[in-house]
Amino acid sequence: MDNFSAKIHDHLMRELADTLERTLHHYKPRCDPGFGTGYILSPSWLAYRGIAVDIVDEVNVEREAGHGEIVLDDDQKGFSAFWDRYSSYFTDQDSHYDKPLVRFEEMFHKRRDEDAILDCLIALEGTLLRGTQGSSYTFRIGLRGSFLLDGSNRLSWNREKIRDFLSGLYAVRGEIVHQDRSLADAIDEVNNSELDNYSASALAEEARVVFAKILLRYIDHDIDHGLSINEVNQDLDQAALDASYSPGP
């Protein structure tokens, strides 16, 4: 393999690793997988007979693991279906999901829980609050999020719990940004019953999980109904008026 071909090959492998990492983050948002050396295999009679595999090259894509464990042995079909449906959205960095996706990924790498929460809220502003005019952001984020996730099988919470959690998150943002409070102090200050039982680190992780479900729900609407984020939000606002929600025309 000449030098130019090797560079292209290396770029493609790293791009694949990036997409795999992003996809796993959405598939299991409580976990941050690490990567070791990758091996490129070639079909051969030895592999066919189950004797050995023919390794023709290796790629060093090592990245330190964050935490958690992802076991796919009993769930390979589930992940394969997830990959087929969503991975293209995590590859195309020019899509209108780009900024929320970048903020979501940043949450895995921030050392301070306050910074992770702010990344989450910026991502939520780019989704649930997109197109918001003339109303309280704290109210709107909880309202839209509760209608978006309620009954979707993405989150086992009821509409009220989702609404209160998201509204509480946005209130926490205000305490961090405007009052320079720590996340732990901000949780105490907002006096939100849905947040009271979370430590700072647990809330940062739960916020990441909830946002992953929200983003996948928006992508579902794009795949199944051809709806943009703005169009979904318009439907959610109408649903709030009608007290019901059914995506698409």
Side-chain angles (χ1 to χ4, degrees), residues 181-195:
R181 300 188 194 277
S182 68
L183 179 53
D185 288 345
I187 293 170
D188 291 338
E189 189 66 26
V190 299
N191 193 28
N192 179 290
S193 60
E194 287 302 327
L195 305 188

Side-chain angles (χ1 to χ4, degrees), residues 17-198:
D18 287 342
T19 302
L20 177 59
E21 181 179 43
R22 297 186 196 111
T23 306
L24 286 169
H25 279 162
H26 285 82
Y27 187 68
K28 297 288 186 181
R30 295 191 188 278
C31 298
D32 185 18
F35 290 83
T37 302
Y39 298 96
I40 300 174
L41 309 181
S42 176
S44 69
W45 69 271
L46 290 172
Y48 177 75
R49 295 184 176 278
I51 299 173
V53 294
D54 187 7
I55 299 175
V56 297
D57 200 359
E58 65 179 45
V59 181
N60 186 349
V61 291
E62 291 186 6
R63 302 175 189 184
E64 291 185 2
H67 60 275
E69 182 180 10
I70 297 176
V71 179
L72 298 179
D73 289 348
D74 297 327
D75 197 24
Q76 289 183 7
K77 290 184 179 179
F79 178 71
S80 178
F82 188 90
W83 172 272
D84 290 343
R85 183 171 176 85
Y86 298 110
S87 62
S88 63
Y89 287 83
F90 309 138
T91 302
D92 183 5
Q93 296 301 294
D94 295 324
S95 75
H96 54 284
Y97 299 96
D98 178 31
K99 291 181 179 179
L101 282 169
V102 168
R103 289 294 180 175
F104 175 76
E105 288 299 315
E106 286 292 323
M107 291 185 72
F108 287 90
H109 307 296
K110 293 296 173 66
R111 293 184 178 182
R112 297 176 67 247
D113 295 323
E114 292 81 6
D115 293 334
I117 284 289
L118 292 180
D119 278 325
C120 182
L121 268 299
I122 292 172
L124 287 169
E125 287 174 344
T127 49
L128 286 175
L129 292 182
R130 188 176 294 187
T132 299
Q133 295 179 347
S135 67
S136 163
Y137 283 3
T138 303
F139 169 77
R140 187 65 61 183
I141 199 171
L143 187 70
R144 285 179 175 173
S146 65
F147 275 93
L148 180 68
L149 290 176
D150 182 44
S152 67
N153 296 322
R154 291 244 169 246
L155 204 61
S156 60
W157 300 352
N158 62 33
R159 188 181 295 174
E160 182 179 4
K161 183 178 178 69
I162 296 167
R163 183 195 65 215
D164 290 347
F165 181 87
L166 291 171
S167 296
L169 270 189
Y170 205 78
V172 161
R173 170 199 176 278
E175 294 295 325
I176 295 173
V177 172
H178 301 300
Q179 303 300 327
D180 196 27
R181 300 188 194 277
S182 68
L183 179 53
D185 288 345
I187 293 170
D188 291 338
E189 189 66 26
V190 299
N191 193 28
N192 179 290
S193 60
E194 287 302 327
L195 305 188
D196 283 345
N197 294 325
Y198 288 99

Side-chain angles (χ1 to χ4, degrees), residues 227 230-240 244-249:
L227 296 177
N230 281 332
E231 289 170 330
V232 173
N233 286 345
Q234 291 171 9
D235 283 356
L236 292 172
D237 289 343
Q238 186 60 49
S244 64
Y245 182 51
S246 179

